Amino acid sequence: MKITAIRAYHVALPYVGGTYSWSGGYSVSEALSTVVEVETDAGITGYGESCPLPNYLQAYGEGVPKGVETLGAALIGADPRELDRINRLMDRTIIGHTYAKSPIDVACWDILGKACGLPVYTLLGGRFHDAMPMYRAVPQRQPDEMAGLAAEFRAEGYRQFQLKSGGAPADEIARIRAVADSLEPGEILIADANRGWTREGALRVARAVADVDVIFEQPCDGYDACRSVRRRIGHAVKLDECITDMTVLQRAIADDALDMLSVKISRFGGLTAARRIRDMCTAAEIEMTVEDVWGGAVVSAAVAHLAASTQPEVMKNTTDLHNYNTVHFASDAPDVRDGCLVPPERPGLGVTPDMDVLGAPLFEIT
Ligand code: MG
């Protein structure tokens, strides 16, 4: 089987809640997603998607199509089922830029699944879950507003709440307390600072909420600062932005620097790389949020397959990013049931974009 054409499409995804705000004064009301279509000489077409947020990771949303265009030119004629060969070709064409490689890698997994007649989760190790518990991100607002949003999300079935935190310590202490006081038994609270605190700020918040059952996510910018905080607080620490590849994760495991990891597929460059990260965390007994930065139905499908094939002891939660948007470009996006994400059972990713919504391609490589 050979890749014969690669196309990219832009789709704007307005946030369902108006403005989504996180630490550092950052916010987004509409994200720009790139959907990639990989066509083969076998009549099989695969889809991937990448949707970076501005100033969130070392990723540039406007750069995704250009990266895909350059990478795609190196892949025409390659066999999309040979995922390690595809990734090596991409790595030899551009160093880094995982967010541009991810949609191509995911599209090739979609093709492999369709060629085998199997859902991607089977190829990633097998299905461990009928449906996977999800968290819901609560954008940064006033404390009582955040507690109100958590109540709305609870009514939709979510039992895990990730507060967008990382602001001034006094404000964050109030936010954490307000939402923690509103929780029902068994619910899980995460304060995601998104790199927003200094070491001292993180320690100040942790000491003030020492009695609260809350997970601290990416408290500081750098790895060393996060590790320092992890060693000095009693709360579990989840890392996200600073774990960028396998070598950093190896070091973090050896340093005992994390209790949880956010496994964002596009941060690592696709399902091929994210699966390795997932397996390292499984071996080290580190729980995971299986997710991506942002996106629509294709991102959610890739997330669902990786989450479904992750062992239950370490699969803390996942997310339904397509439900964060008011624009939907696939009618067969993963189902959501009682706050849980259901993986599609069709071959490949099991999601087919509606080309009428995506419109004309930005380019076509043949
Ligand atoms: Mg995070």
Side-chain angles (χ1 to χ4, degrees):
M1 189 187 297
K2 289 190 171 83
I3 294 174
T4 51
I6 296 180
R7 301 178 197 92
Y9 304 81
H10 261 165
V11 56
L13 302 176
Y15 176 53
V16 71
T19 302
Y20 180 83
S21 315
W22 66 97
S23 73
Y26 294 117
S27 66
V28 65
S29 54
E30 185 177 276
L32 186 62
S33 193
T34 301
V35 175
V36 173
E37 183 178 47
V38 176
E39 205 169 85
T40 67
D41 62 358
I44 298 173
T45 300
Y47 296 96
E49 182 187 3
S50 182
C51 187
L53 291 182
N55 293 303
Y56 171 65
L57 290 174
Q58 291 185 22
Y60 177 49
E62 303 273 357
V64 176
K66 192 66 202 168
V68 170
E69 193 172 10
T70 303
L71 294 161
L75 297 180
I76 297 300
D79 187 334
R81 300 168 301 180
E82 299 185 333
L83 269 303
D84 284 355
R85 292 196 68 234
I86 291 290
N87 276 274
R88 181 174 155 88
L89 277 168
M90 290 199 286
D91 290 342
R92 289 174 67 88
T93 304
I94 301 176
I95 295 171
H97 297 268
T98 52
Y99 59 98
K101 293 170 179 171
S102 183
I104 296 175
D105 174 86
V106 170
C108 290
W109 277 97
D110 190 22
I111 291 167
L112 177 60
K114 287 169 177 167
C116 298
L118 294 169
V120 167
Y121 60 67
T122 301
L123 304 174
L124 291 172
R127 180 173 179 175
F128 287 100
H129 312 259
D130 289 334
M132 295 77 68
M134 299 190 298
Y135 80 89
R136 182 77 189 203
V138 181
Q140 200 171 61
R141 306 269 168 83
Q142 292 302 312
D144 56 337
E145 282 181 78
M146 291 176 80
L149 282 171
E152 287 176 28
F153 297 142
R154 177 180 299 112
E156 294 173 24
Y158 299 93
R159 303 289 309 279
Q160 303 191 35
F161 308 100
Q162 186 208 55
L163 309 183
K164 288 291 129 184
S165 194
D171 295 342
E172 297 310 334
I173 293 161
R175 288 181 173 121
I176 291 169
R177 286 217 172 272
V179 180
D181 287 347
S182 74
L183 292 186
E184 295 183 356
E187 294 184 339
I188 292 172
L189 185 62
I190 303 156
D192 187 359
N194 286 115
R195 309 182 288 122
W197 290 321
T198 59
R199 299 182 194 215
E200 196 276 335
L203 294 175
R204 183 172 296 270
V205 177
R207 285 175 185 140
V209 298
D211 58 319
V212 177
D213 184 3
V214 55
I215 297 162
F216 274 45
E217 180 168 342
Q218 191 70 37
C220 304
D221 183 18
Y223 168 73
D224 289 324
C226 288
R227 181 187 57 177
S228 174
V229 168
R230 160 79 173 78
R231 287 178 176 178
R232 291 189 283 163
I233 69 175
H235 300 87
V237 167
K238 176 181 171 186
L239 295 182
D240 185 347
E241 289 96 315
C242 71
I243 302 295
T244 50
D245 59 33
M246 283 186 37
T247 56
V248 182
L249 178 58
Q250 277 178 320
R251 182 184 165 203
I253 292 169
D255 287 349
D256 190 24
L258 74 167
D259 304 289
M260 271 188 74
L261 180 68
S262 162
V263 180
K264 288 189 167 76
I265 292 170
S266 66
R267 190 168 84 247
F268 299 115
L271 283 168
T272 303
R275 175 181 61 167
R276 294 187 185 120
I277 295 284
R278 183 273 304 272
D279 292 345
M280 284 177 69
C281 285
T282 302
E285 301 174 58
I286 291 167
E287 293 188 37
M288 285 165 271
T289 290
V290 178
E291 61 173 348
D292 210 328
V293 177
W294 208 256
V298 177
V299 159
S300 279
V303 163
H305 286 281
L306 186 62
S309 58
T310 299
Q311 297 184 26
E313 294 79 9
V314 287
M315 219 299 298
K316 186 79 151 191
N317 56 45
T318 185
T319 183
D320 56 339
L321 282 165
H322 61 292
N323 286 328
Y324 282 57
N325 314 315
T326 58
V327 167
H328 301 280
F329 61 78
S331 59
D332 51 3
D335 282 335
V336 165
R337 198 169 57 211
D338 300 329
C340 294
L341 187 66
V342 182
E345 296 178 353
R346 297 173 289 276
L349 292 178
V351 167
T352 306
D354 179 347
M355 305 317 279
D356 289 339
V357 178
L358 296 185
L362 299 166
F363 61 79
E364 178 185 53
I365 308 266
T366 53

